[in-house]
Amino acid sequence: MYAIFNNGGKQYKVIEGQIIKLEKFKGNVGEKIKFNDILLINNKNSLKIGQPLVKGASITAKLISHIRDKKIKIVKFHRRKHFRKIQGHRQFFTNIKIIKIKI
């Protein structure tokens, strides 16, 4: 069984027991989180597609950790103008583990 849900403007396909990396949101480590924006649920013998959401469906997850991604470089450069600017950015993420998908 798998489900597709919406969080932070992105869609994620998950199964029970999977660990995924989401955009950072507030919460303490070990806390349980519930997602209600379920777009699709596929069971072995049935497929439920929401219009736009599946009614009564939810996903329960456990917050594992808050992390930062690897550093990326942003380089801005204008040729023949003696202009060069280098920036770095590390995005914050939250790791969660999917506990249960409820139809």
Side-chain angles (χ1 to χ4, degrees):
M1 175 198 296
Y2 70 88
I4 297 176
F5 73 100
N6 187 17
N7 183 0
K10 298 178 180 78
Q11 296 177 3
Y12 299 93
K13 179 182 173 184
V14 294
I15 60 172
E16 290 184 5
Q18 182 180 4
I19 296 174
I20 61 170
K21 184 168 71 169
L22 301 177
E23 296 284 326
K24 184 179 179 189
F25 55 90
K26 294 182 181 180
N28 297 325
V29 175
E31 188 176 308
K32 290 197 177 180
I33 305 160
K34 194 172 190 181
F35 298 103
N36 294 320
D37 294 342
I38 314 300
L39 304 173
L40 180 138
I41 292 181
N42 186 7
N43 206 345
K44 290 184 180 176
N45 49 4
S46 67
L47 175 68
K48 295 190 182 195
I49 300 172
Q51 297 172 356
L53 304 174
V54 178
K55 293 181 182 174
S58 66
I59 294 177
T60 306
K62 182 179 178 183
L63 198 145
I64 296 175
S65 65
H66 296 292
I67 59 170
R68 293 181 80 182
D69 207 13
K70 65 178 185 173
K71 189 172 214 174
I72 61 168
K73 280 187 165 183
I74 299 121
V75 179
K76 297 181 180 179
F77 177 78
H78 296 182
R79 63 183 189 152
R80 297 188 303 266
K81 305 293 182 197
H82 298 289
F83 174 80
R84 182 175 64 185
K85 182 178 179 183
I86 300 174
Q87 287 180 309
H89 177 72
R90 289 185 72 189
Q91 183 69 36
F92 286 97
F93 286 103
T94 300
N95 279 336
I96 65 167
K97 181 175 184 178
I98 305 299
I99 296 172
K100 183 170 177 147
I101 299 173
K102 179 184 158 204
I103 299 175

